[in-house]
Amino acid sequence: MTTTMRLTPAIGVQRSGGETAPRPELEPIFTALAARWETDGRTVPGRADEEWAVLARRYPWPVR
């Protein structure tokens, strides 16, 4: 028996045709927390992470 799990896109994820799902208004406490993390240089959910992008672009195996 095969089970298939269908994943639903997260809020704000790019959809086909260039359409983006609308983001709900965030609670002020989460907005303040995200701002604090950003000023501390931490990764903030929903924002680009340059360090991860650099690591993901690298070839995973050493060249022989």
Side-chain angles (χ1 to χ4, degrees), residues 16-53:
S16 63
E19 178 187 339
T20 303
R23 286 181 179 258
E25 290 300 316
L26 297 175
E27 295 289 328
I29 190 168
F30 297 120
T31 304
L33 180 62
R36 171 116 187 233
W37 282 6
E38 194 168 41
T39 59
D40 290 346
R42 297 177 63 181
T43 302
V44 178
R47 305 233 175 107
D49 180 3
E50 185 58 33
E51 184 178 5
W52 174 254

